[in-house]
Amino acid sequence: MDTERTNCLLAEIAGGKGLIHIDRHDVDLFKANAQLIDAEKAGGKVEDIGAILDGIFTTMAERNSGRKVKSMLLALRIAENSNLMMEHMNGVHDAISKLGDEVEIKWGLFSTDRLKEDQIEVIAALGF
């Protein structure tokens, strides 16, 4: 796990302005309540968001030897004219539910003009 990369991704989460915002206070609280933090960023098509999250979570689980996840920050970055639908969010729910019922989750939804309407970027930070 790369601490510098994780800190950069946490800063990216806090630096985004959006529809549902995660601010610096949220990130600081997340950091204070975790013994270990890992973060990952990935992107792809909006319709594949569940698979994107599954891939992120699998990568982090392997890196962290199956430690129990206590908390998560999840930032979703979409195009300003995105076709994000509720059915796509069901994929998010399905992926997150695999982490367990006791995980505290804070999430944000941000828009940008640098993505195509069918694209999404995901940043997930897990606290162990």
Side-chain angles (χ1 to χ4, degrees):
M1 175 175 24
D2 182 349
T3 304
E4 184 177 334
R5 182 171 186 276
T6 296
N7 286 332
C8 286
L9 290 173
L10 289 172
E12 191 173 338
I13 289 172
K17 300 286 186 229
L19 307 167
I20 301 170
H21 185 65
I22 298 173
D23 61 19
R24 171 58 49 200
H25 174 75
D26 296 323
V27 171
D28 289 344
L29 187 60
F30 173 78
K31 289 168 83 173
N33 291 320
Q35 294 176 345
L36 179 69
I37 296 172
D38 195 3
E40 190 68 41
K41 180 179 180 178
K45 296 215 177 260
V46 169
E47 64 219 28
D48 297 329
I49 189 168
I52 292 167
L53 280 172
D54 279 338
I56 286 173
F57 296 156
T58 299
T59 298
M60 285 194 277
E62 289 171 359
R63 273 200 304 249
N64 293 286
S65 304
R67 287 184 176 95
K68 184 175 170 129
V69 178
K70 294 178 3 182
S71 58
M72 177 173 65
L73 294 177
L74 178 63
L76 307 175
R77 185 174 294 132
I78 58 174
E80 289 178 354
N81 57 347
S82 176
N83 59 3
L84 182 68
M85 306 285 255
M86 185 52 98
E87 67 187 62
H88 301 128
M89 296 307 290
N90 289 337
V92 173
H93 178 267
D94 291 344
I96 290 172
S97 67
K98 294 174 186 172
L99 297 176
D101 293 336
E102 297 153 13
V103 177
E104 182 180 318
I105 302 167
K106 179 86 175 182
W107 66 282
L109 181 61
F110 311 93
S111 63
T112 181
D113 61 357
R114 53 181 195 86
L115 292 174
K116 295 178 184 175
E117 70 181 41
D118 65 341
Q119 298 292 303
I120 192 164
E121 287 181 344
V122 178
I123 304 172
L126 300 181
F128 301 92

